[in-house]
Amino acid sequence: MNWEAFWLTVRLAALVSTLLVAIGIPIAYWLTYSRWRWKFLVEAAVALPIVLPPTVLGFYVLVALGSRSPLGRWWESLTGHTLAFTFEGLVIGSLVYSLPFAVQPFAASFGAVDSKLLGASATLGHSPVATFRRIVLPLSKAGLVTGFALSFAHTLGEFGVVLMVGGNIPGVTRTLSIDIYDQVQAENYSSANQTALLMLILSFFVLSIVYGLNRRGFGRHRSAVGPRQ
């Protein structure tokens, strides 16, 4: 078992899923409540990583992070090296790749909130921010947990994007999925099986917790809409 690759993968998944909560909630809120007629184009762009081949997505992320791009040049001027083939580059690529797995559950949970509660909150003088904080978020806990867990599990199993963006640098960009590939190429099937089994158990454990919480009605409770404080 390559424990160095294991902890790097877990660190990457935890960081990406945490960042996606901060990034995904505003996007999901806008997608849920915006009435812009061309909103479907944004929805399609967010969902694109689901259907796009990882190598295609990884290629364009690699180009965007390279020294010829504005972002790559800016980063290189600050650090002396490009974002490509670094852990930071892996984080950016993983954020793009796992974005729909966070945004879609978030948006679905926001859309399931009773509109009467939102109307009552507005009638009582609460601002949209206060309504979101006091009503929408508490009633959307199940969706938030689901989005976090799905993006975490999805990042754990990345291969094409991380290989294209980060390469295969031990201790820097070599994740568990790449380590499994290396072990198979070396015909070390016993080690590959141990790592693959660990990923299987870990992913199953995460998803079991999520679906178990949702089955028990996690986050479903009545929100009291009181007068504005």
Side-chain angles (χ1 to χ4, degrees):
M1 176 65 64
N2 187 340
W3 291 107
E4 183 180 58
F6 172 80
W7 290 115
L8 187 145
T9 305
V10 170
R11 181 160 60 97
L12 176 66
L15 180 58
V16 168
S17 52
T18 301
L19 290 175
L20 282 176
V21 171
I23 297 171
I25 286 178
I27 297 175
Y29 180 86
W30 184 84
L31 289 176
T32 302
Y33 298 108
S34 174
R35 296 185 178 181
W36 186 44
R37 62 179 299 183
W38 300 105
K39 182 178 69 173
F40 67 91
L41 295 176
V42 180
E43 292 176 320
V46 170
L48 195 58
I50 296 177
V51 298
L52 201 62
T55 51
V56 174
L57 181 62
F59 170 75
Y60 284 112
V61 173
L62 180 61
V63 171
L65 300 182
S67 58
R68 295 184 179 181
S69 71
L71 176 60
R73 289 195 298 269
W74 172 77
W75 183 264
E76 189 171 7
S77 67
L78 291 178
T79 63
H81 59 81
T82 62
L83 277 167
F85 308 110
T86 64
F87 181 79
E88 292 79 7
L90 284 189
V91 172
I92 295 175
S94 299
L95 286 173
V96 176
Y97 189 47
S98 296
L99 181 64
F101 292 88
V103 171
Q104 291 187 353
F106 294 169
S109 62
F110 294 163
V113 176
D114 192 344
S115 60
K116 294 180 181 178
L117 293 175
L118 305 181
S121 178
T123 301
L124 291 172
H126 292 292
S127 67
V129 174
T131 299
F132 179 73
R133 179 175 57 84
R134 300 183 60 181
I135 298 176
V136 177
L137 275 182
L139 293 176
S140 303
K141 287 182 179 178
L144 297 179
V145 172
T146 299
F148 178 89
L150 286 179
S151 58
F152 181 89
H154 189 248
T155 304
L156 281 180
E158 285 181 297
F159 178 74
V161 171
V162 297
L163 185 60
M164 292 288 290
V165 175
N168 187 2
I169 305 174
V172 180
T173 62
R174 178 182 289 175
T175 61
L176 281 179
S177 58
I178 296 176
D179 183 67
I180 292 174
Y181 177 80
D182 287 342
Q183 296 296 341
V184 171
Q185 290 296 304
E187 298 185 359
N188 190 352
Y189 297 114
S190 176
S191 179
N193 177 61
Q194 291 179 10
T195 307
L197 184 60
L198 175 63
M199 291 185 67
L200 175 64
I201 293 174
L202 182 59
S203 299
F204 182 78
F205 178 72
V206 171
L207 294 178
S208 296
I209 292 177
V210 171
Y211 287 113
L213 290 174
N214 288 343
R215 185 182 181 88
R216 292 174 178 271
F218 176 72
R220 296 176 185 175
H221 62 274
R222 295 183 179 274
S223 177
V225 184
R228 181 170 55 185
Q229 300 295 326

